[in-house]
Amino acid sequence: MPFQPLVQEPEIQRRWLESGAFRAKRASELLPGSKTFYMLVMLPYPSGRIHMGHVRNYTLGDVTARFRRMRGYEVMHPLGWDSFGLPAENAAIKHGIHPAIWTRKNIEEMKGQIQKMGISYDWEREIASFQDDYYRWNQWLFLKMWEAGDVFRAMRTVNWCEELGTVLANEQVVDGKDERTGHPVVQKPLEQYFFKTTKYADELLACLDGLDWPDNVKTMQRYWIGRSEGARLAFDLEDGQRVEVFTTRLDTLFGVTFMALSTEHPVIEKAAQSDPSLKAFCDQVARVSHEERLTSDVKLGHRTAISALHPFTGEKVPVFAANYVLMDYGTGAVMGVPAHDERDHEFALKYGLPIPKVIEAESAWDLGTLVNSGEFTGLRSEDAVAAMIAKLGDRAEKTTTYKLKDWGLSRQRYWGTPIPTVHCDSCGVVPEKAENLPVRLPEDVAFTGHGPSPLTTSSSFLDTKCPSCGRPAHRETDTMDTFVDSSWYWLRYLDPKNAQLPFAKTESDAWMPVDLYVGGIEHATMHLIYARFFYKVLRDLGLASGPEPFQKLICQGMVLKDGSKMSKSKGNIVDPDEVISKYGADALRLFMIFAAPIEKEIDWTGFEGIEGASRFLKRITRMVEDHANAGGGDRLFADAHDVPPAPPHAVSGQSPAPASVTAEPLPAKNQLAPEEKALLIKLNQTIARLTDDLERRYQFNTVVSGLMELSNALADLPADAPHRGAVMQQALDAFVRLMSPVAPHLAEQLWSQLDRPGLCMQATWPEADPAFLEADEVTVVVQVNGKVRGRISVPAAAPEEARRAAALACPEAQAHLAGKEIVKVVVPAGGKLVSIVVK
RNA sequence: GCCGGUGUGGCGAAAUGGCAGACGCGACGGACUCAAAAUCCGUUUCCCCCUAAAGGAGUGUCGGUUCGAGUCCGACCACCGGCACCA
């Protein structure tokens, strides 16, 4: 049977599905002591079509899942849909199609595409976050977190568009305007719900050390969490108010010449009420868009009428409102020490403030020895901090702050999980009762793109009773950030039908932690912090065990076209479907895995690479066919005379093969011809190498080159090798299993052509035979002064002393040794090399 | 600016401190063919050389450690990514 992927692949996919070979076991079905492997890919957004990034991601996961199954692991390999969020709501506004219908259609289409790839997902565990049997558990977990005190309400500014009467996401705001309508957008505070992520800041930081994650992701998370040790210090204002600052350099306290407060600081806001010019300044700062704030670092300040008093000297210190002080970091106020802080320095120069030096150090921003600091003069910075805190009494204390913020989860949107709370005139904000879940999204809403969230227009949704006092009340209309959906979805896969709990602990204990998580680097901070946070919360609620959800993480590189990201607007999309309908899924999978290491970008420059992949698959198919036509290997009753004549031997280029059928199994090692032995050694070395690549190194591209090398070795076996049939049968049998994770469809076809029973994907991964890992004679490289001068062949068993002697005796080395004094001879472990040092 | 990553043939890349360029793509030459496609065989880092043998150089640059460095250490350069007034 030739290589006909377009015909064969759908048929083979049907056999897989019918056999249930992708199904993962429930905890109760797992035999005691069985090894489990949880292979997870990041939850995709159902945009409508899969792209090459998905193909890369899912192929990699599938290779791992299939490999682990063959290695005897119980494998969990599920997929679902991150199916709430803005695009569906935008489609509703634009095309008048309900988000649910749009979403369902997209999921169906993408699922079909993914199934054509032959990815071994257990579709019985498929989940979609927009369905109420999923999002009810978001609500349930929200209530649990509410009870545990991990949820609170507070004000936070949002992008508010007055004309539309609606809140916009950051990505919808361009140049301070709504990207769709161009209406102006302002910052407006709104009361919102928050998860207390900062409660776990220290643990999130500490646990990073134990994770097998890429260093750059760990670094990004450390930076994101941004732990910073310093001190909190209270300054008295002249009018009796107090302002707290956070500083990492309390030792520079005597260098304070001003205070800078955020324009949103309560003291400034209060002062602005009676100071029109201050008010104007604050408004001006507030108008600057988020974008501009990121790109411009011009420091602006406004001198207020207020002065603060220096805690030690009692001197008056002017108080400024400044654009470079952030309200949501530290206390929203800093003490300005221009001599020893770069930003304060710039500010002081601009506003003509004194810059007294109080630290003697190598550079102005370093720690050092205090000068001009009253009784603290002469102390080292570190000691001065402790001494000052002691002296300042309850005005100061050591504290730690974090850049990590609490997670604002409110969205003023329709297409999300309704937050399960109720507003009651007498009881305030009250959580819904767990037995009333799910709080479903109503259908009777209009999508206009303006005005408040569509939820506020649905009376069937809005009107309810207070869970506490029973009087009429109205529902919360905020929905949850979609990051909530993706913060625990991998646990729902483990128990997707559970109607009592989000998932049973027995299931999570059986499968967690995830052994390999693969996804894009763009999720390095947000998603991967939120998910880790949720897992810690779940642990503390007694729902899951273990500190961390994802033991190993791989971040795949992007798939580019002509050096830039594929996108609809650039019109440079390569549709996976097109490739599959021309070359088949196996060729695409093989190419994707082979093209580059997984973490690097790959540029889809053309179809040459995939042509090569396809050629390789054809070659190996032909080899199996030729072998089968020659009578196969181990058919014990085959009669050489009945076997059809072998076709001209296209592969090796040798003369036509005699029907090299053998009735015997593989002969003993010492009966084999040298080329046969060499092939079997290559085979076993390849088995060892690929196993290591897949199991320990997680290096996938070399798996494909290993397969190619082995196929070249197979093609080189002479047609008249005495035990050709038996050797080829042995080698092809293993080869087909080795290729099965990467090119699973063709592997199944070849497996049956080799007359092997059952599905190749359920066969056992080959084991390397130690007897065939090393040739009888091995090559030893001879170096003289670090340069390779010769190669010698020695028996594999030769001891170090013999290797050394043989190396010294070899003529090429001799030529470089003549007339020199041998200083040293090094034979490293393994004995593959002898290094001679001469003078 | 800070943090991280990457730098190896014409291209994608391999080399787990021990033979640099495996494997593939492309290119060139050849076989098969009336011809083409497909397939197969061969060549393909640079210098020297008719060729080969034998040399020499070579993994962004400069230094270091080591018997031995693409790999480890230090400084620098270039590119890519992330973050960014974090007190």
Side-chain angles (χ1 to χ4, degrees):
Chain A
M1 202 185 300
F3 177 57
Q4 290 175 312
L6 306 187
V7 181
Q8 291 291 323
E9 287 179 355
E11 170 59 28
I12 286 163
Q13 285 161 12
R14 214 183 50 239
R15 280 177 62 199
W16 283 333
L17 283 178
E18 281 166 7
S19 71
F22 299 165
R23 198 181 154 268
K25 291 197 170 112
R26 295 190 57 82
S28 56
E29 299 171 284
L30 290 171
L31 297 172
S34 54
K35 302 176 289 182
T36 61
F37 195 92
Y38 191 167
M39 175 65 234
L40 183 69
V41 295
M42 287 184 185
L43 191 67
Y45 182 79
S47 58
R49 304 285 297 171
I50 63 166
H51 53 70
M52 284 297 175
H54 291 125
V55 170
R56 199 178 188 193
N57 190 182
Y58 303 159
T59 300
L60 186 94
D62 198 42
V63 168
T64 303
R66 287 174 179 273
F67 166 70
R68 293 284 172 170
R69 282 194 199 99
M70 293 176 81
R71 284 291 273 174
Y73 286 78
E74 295 293 342
V75 169
M76 175 69 61
H77 190 212
L79 194 77
W81 308 97
D82 185 15
S83 41
F84 270 141
L86 264 183
E89 208 163 328
N90 286 341
I93 294 165
K94 213 165 160 187
H95 306 298
I97 181 168
H98 192 278
I101 294 168
W102 186 85
T103 302
R104 260 187 221 110
K105 187 188 101 273
N106 285 352
I107 289 176
E108 207 173 305
E109 185 156 337
M110 286 177 76
K111 186 172 169 182
Q113 289 185 300
I114 290 167
Q115 284 175 330
K116 274 199 242 171
M117 292 285 309
I119 311 287
S120 63
Y121 292 128
D122 181 354
W123 289 106
E124 286 171 37
R125 295 174 180 271
E126 179 182 10
I127 56 168
S129 57
F130 81 108
Q131 288 169 343
D132 61 17
D133 64 356
Y134 185 84
Y135 71 69
R136 71 171 297 175
W137 299 110
N138 284 345
Q139 296 172 335
W140 188 88
L141 289 167
F142 177 94
L143 296 182
K144 286 280 172 195
M145 289 166 77
W146 180 286
E147 271 172 45
D150 290 332
V151 183
F152 66 95
R153 277 162 63 79
M155 302 295 281
R156 181 176 282 182
T157 54
V158 295
N159 298 306
W160 177 256
C161 179
E162 193 58 51
E163 275 79 1
L164 298 174
T166 191
V167 176
L168 298 172
N170 275 340
E171 62 183 44
Q172 293 177 296
V173 183
V174 178
D175 290 334
K177 292 181 191 125
D178 174 28
E179 57 151 7
R180 204 163 47 84
T181 62
H183 293 309
V185 176
V186 296
Q187 303 295 304
K188 175 177 145 173
L190 212 63
E191 182 150 45
Q192 318 219 32
Y193 295 82
F194 291 84
F195 286 140
K196 240 183 233 174
T197 37
T198 50
K199 176 171 153 190
Y200 291 92
D202 267 327
E203 205 195 333
L204 287 168
L205 185 65
C207 288
L208 280 173
D209 293 333
L211 295 178
D212 187 6
W213 285 20
D215 280 338
N216 58 340
V217 175
K218 289 210 240 182
T219 307
M220 279 162 83
Q221 292 219 344
R222 284 194 191 101
Y223 190 72
W224 189 265
I225 294 165
R227 185 187 150 99
S228 172
E229 286 180 24
R232 212 175 266 271
L233 164 67
F235 278 76
D236 287 326
L237 304 184
E238 274 185 316
D239 61 5
Q241 296 188 86
R242 268 199 165 187
V243 172
E244 288 226 313
V245 301
F246 173 75
T247 176
T248 53
R249 294 295 305 273
L250 190 64
D251 55 309
T252 63
L253 183 51
F254 280 82
V256 170
T257 57
F258 66 97
M259 288 188 73
L261 272 57
S262 166
T263 53
E264 296 156 61
H265 195 281
V267 167
I268 297 295
E269 284 185 340
K270 191 174 155 208
Q273 287 168 14
S274 53
D275 181 346
S277 69
L278 178 59
K279 174 92 174 81
F281 175 78
C282 292
D283 288 348
Q284 182 203 332
V285 171
R287 262 199 307 279
V288 174
S289 72
H290 180 71
E291 244 179 305
E292 281 170 69
R293 256 196 139 139
L294 292 188
T295 49
S296 153
D297 59 354
V298 177
K299 289 178 183 52
L300 295 172
H302 189 277
R303 175 86 148 90
T304 66
I306 312 165
S307 287
L309 302 172
H310 193 283
F312 283 133
T313 64
E315 273 175 51
K316 280 193 192 175
V317 177
V319 173
F320 282 75
N323 70 340
Y324 75 94
V325 181
L326 309 174
M327 193 57 220
D328 53 13
Y329 181 77
T331 61
V334 302
M335 56 182 216
V337 184
H340 303 290
D341 181 281
E342 208 171 346
R343 292 150 305 184
D344 296 345
H345 188 84
E346 189 187 331
F347 190 81
L349 283 178
K350 183 161 181 175
Y351 293 99
L353 299 159
I355 306 176
K357 180 173 170 177
V358 292
I359 302 288
E360 195 62 61
E362 256 182 57
S363 112
W365 323 134
D366 286 347
L367 297 176
T369 307
L370 274 67
V371 295
N372 300 322
S373 296
E375 60 182 286
F376 302 99
T377 297
L379 288 179
R380 301 269 325 147
S381 290
E382 300 85 343
D383 305 329
V385 170
M388 287 181 179
I389 286 177
K391 182 84 192 263
L392 286 162
D394 55 9
R395 261 174 191 284
E397 59 169 346
K398 272 187 90 157
T399 58
T400 304
T401 61
Y402 300 88
K403 279 197 265 184
L404 183 71
K405 291 172 198 160
D406 287 318
W407 173 9
L409 69 126
S410 289
R411 296 292 181 269
Q412 290 70 42
R413 299 270 150 214
Y414 169 76
W415 197 233
T417 304
I419 291 178
T421 56
V422 167
H423 295 259
C424 169
D425 285 341
S426 28
C427 309
V429 179
V430 185
E432 183 54 271
K433 288 183 181 151
E435 61 263 33
N436 292 339
L437 299 183
V439 177
R440 286 197 178 82
L441 281 173
E443 298 281 329
D444 59 332
V445 293
F447 299 96
T448 56
H450 54 80
S453 160
L455 278 183
T456 59
T457 66
S458 166
S459 53
S460 70
F461 178 81
L462 223 47
D463 297 334
T464 186
K465 280 190 191 123
C466 172
S468 171
C469 68
R471 273 184 275 197
H474 64 272
R475 286 204 183 282
E476 174 58 62
T477 56
D478 279 2
T479 51
M480 295 184 197
D481 182 1
T482 54
F483 274 120
V484 176
D485 306 325
S486 55
S487 288
W488 68 280
Y489 71 98
W490 68 91
L491 292 158
R492 185 65 180 174
Y493 285 144
L494 302 179
D495 201 3
K497 309 277 189 309
N498 195 329
Q500 270 72 51
L501 284 169
F503 58 93
K505 189 150 181 290
T506 47
E507 299 293 338
S508 71
D509 283 348
W511 290 100
M512 288 299 291
V514 169
D515 294 279
L516 177 61
Y517 194 23
V518 186
I521 185 78
E522 65 272 22
H523 294 112
T525 44
M526 310 263 273
H527 163 60
L528 286 169
I529 292 256
Y530 293 150
R532 294 179 60 217
F533 160 73
F534 246 71
Y535 200 67
K536 290 179 191 305
V537 170
L538 291 169
R539 175 202 60 196
D540 289 352
L541 290 172
L543 294 166
S545 321
E548 287 287 334
F550 313 126
Q551 188 49 43
K552 171 144 187 95
L553 174 74
I554 293 179
C555 290
Q556 53 169 2
M558 281 196 298
V559 183
L560 307 174
K561 177 79 195 291
D562 302 322
S564 59
K565 207 172 164 174
M566 291 189 195
S567 73
K568 268 186 201 160
S569 55
K570 290 201 197 88
N572 63 350
I573 302 252
V574 178
D575 190 335
D577 260 12
E578 275 176 40
V579 180
I580 293 172
S581 59
K582 191 162 172 207
Y583 297 94
D586 280 347
L588 178 57
R589 295 168 57 116
L590 189 85
F591 173 64
M592 272 295 186
I593 292 292
F594 179 55
I598 187 63
E599 64 278 3
K600 287 194 81 167
E601 292 176 341
I602 57 178
D603 200 330
W604 190 279
T605 42
F607 290 87
E608 290 100 352
I610 196 142
E611 296 270 8
S614 183
R615 241 186 326 254
F616 167 74
L617 295 174
K618 278 181 210 152
R619 235 181 344 246
I620 188 71
T621 308
R622 217 176 304 122
M623 247 184 266
V624 170
E625 275 197 294
D626 289 352
H627 171 70
N629 289 340
D634 56 2
R635 296 181 199 176
L636 292 171
F637 304 105
D639 181 344
H641 301 289
D642 291 339
V643 169
H649 211 269
V651 171
S652 64
Q654 307 283 333
S655 54
S660 59
V661 175
T662 170
E664 296 111 78
L666 195 66
K669 192 178 178 187
N670 57 14
Q671 307 280 305
L672 291 165
E675 316 83 63
E676 294 169 345
K677 218 189 285 180
L679 176 59
L680 291 178
I681 286 166
K682 181 72 182 172
L683 171 70
N684 283 283
Q685 286 173 338
T686 303
I687 293 171
R689 184 180 138 191
L690 298 203
T691 307
D692 192 45
D693 280 353
L694 289 169
E695 195 157 72
R696 183 181 66 85
R697 299 219 298 161
Y698 289 99
Q699 181 164 296
F700 297 84
N701 53 328
T702 50
V703 169
V704 178
S705 35
L707 287 171
M708 288 173 166
E709 277 180 49
L710 182 54
S711 88
N712 291 343
L714 286 170
D716 287 343
L717 183 67
D720 58 357
H723 313 96
R724 186 182 162 89
V727 170
M728 278 303 261
Q729 179 71 21
Q730 167 98 355
L732 286 171
D733 179 291
F735 185 94
V736 168
R737 284 180 285 158
L738 292 172
M739 74 184 268
S740 167
V742 182
H745 304 89
L746 183 60
E748 293 296 353
Q749 176 189 323
L750 300 182
W751 191 244
S752 41
Q753 278 174 264
L754 289 172
D755 249 354
R756 302 308 316 268
L759 288 169
C760 183
M761 70 161 288
Q762 289 177 319
T764 342
W765 186 255
E767 286 283 348
D769 179 350
F772 281 95
L773 279 178
E774 198 171 37
D776 302 336
E777 292 269 311
V778 294
T779 302
V780 172
V781 170
V782 184
Q783 287 185 352
V784 180
N785 282 354
K787 283 200 198 307
V788 177
R789 295 301 182 183
R791 293 179 175 80
I792 51 172
S793 189
V794 302
E800 184 188 318
E801 202 39 57
R803 288 165 195 247
R804 179 190 302 251
L808 286 167
C810 95
E812 294 92 340
Q814 280 292 324
H816 291 91
L817 298 179
K820 307 270 176 64
E821 183 196 339
I822 295 173
V823 180
K824 193 176 185 182
V825 179
V826 182
V827 184
K832 293 241 173 68
L833 179 138
V834 176
S835 179
I836 304 165
V837 187
V838 297
K839 216 165 39 177

